[in-house]
């Protein structure tokens, strides 16, 4: 009777069919296949075993960049060298120092002053001469300091292999100490600390 009822029910309106669970493996028989490990799948999708796709700007509608030639690579290496950076800082320091010297000479009331005749009014030629001399003096000092600082920072960065605020502090201490050491050990220590603090402040402001 049960078989007939099941046959009639299957012929008429079939009911819900339940998936039969796999029979447990008999002892000593073949083991069932292991379940899918999602960790392995994730490693192939986003993990270490993921194959990186080559980025092609032309495929995305962008402008493809041609490979760099040996001349371009040589120019880039020359521009990233310590000698080029020191020369650039020297030129920039010379221009900045000259402008600063001329500006300070323009607001100084003692420009063109003659100690032998303090009541004589200096001429325009004497004032311009003093302004030029002060500008050249400031330009030389700024150029030397800029070249020393830039070259020292480049050497320290190449040695450490890092680009952080410590490079500026170390190079500022070395530059200030070398400049102040000419006046004595105490002046060298003060110059080292002053330049290091100034370099740290400028680096913090720029970053």
């Amino acid at each position: 009777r049960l078989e007939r009822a099941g046959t009639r029910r299957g012929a008429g309106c079939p009911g819900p069919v339940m998936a039969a669970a796999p029979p447990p493996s008999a002892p000593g028989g073949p083991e069932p296949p292991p379940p899918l490990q999602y960790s392995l799948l994730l490693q192939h999708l986003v993990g270490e075993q993921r194959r990186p796709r080559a980025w092609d700007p032309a495929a995305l509608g962008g402008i493809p960049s041609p490979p760099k030639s040996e001349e371009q690579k040589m120019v880039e290496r020359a521009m990233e060298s310590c000698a080029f950076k020191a020369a650039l800082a020297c030129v920039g320091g010379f221009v900045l120092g000259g402008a600063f010297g001329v500006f300070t000479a323009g607001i100084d009331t003692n420009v063109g002053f003659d100690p032998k005749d303090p009541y004589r009014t200096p001429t325009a030629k004497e004032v311009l001469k003093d302004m030029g001399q002060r500008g050249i003096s400031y330009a030389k000092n700024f150029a030397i300091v800029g070249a020393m600082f830039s070259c020292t920072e480049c050497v320290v960065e190449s040695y450490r292999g890092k680009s952080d605020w410590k490079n500026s502090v170390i190079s500022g201490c070395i530059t200030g100490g070398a400049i102040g050491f000419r006046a004595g050990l105490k002046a060298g220590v003060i110059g080292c600390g002053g330049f290091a603090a100034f370099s740290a402040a400028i680096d913090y402001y720029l970053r």
Side-chain angles (χ1 to χ4, degrees), residues 6 22 32 46 55 75 90 119 160 172 185:
V46 295
W55 184 76
V75 171
C90 181
Y119 297 101
R160 297 183 65 242
L185 181 60

Side-chain angles (χ1 to χ4, degrees), residues 128-148:
L128 293 177
K129 182 179 178 180
D130 288 352
M131 291 176 65
Q133 291 178 353
R134 182 176 295 188
I136 293 296
S137 177
Y138 275 66
K140 291 180 179 179
N141 295 332
F142 274 63
I144 293 174
V145 173
M148 290 179 60

Side-chain angles (χ1 to χ4, degrees), residues 53-65:
R53 297 182 59 184
W55 184 76
D56 188 7
L60 300 177
I63 301 176
S65 57

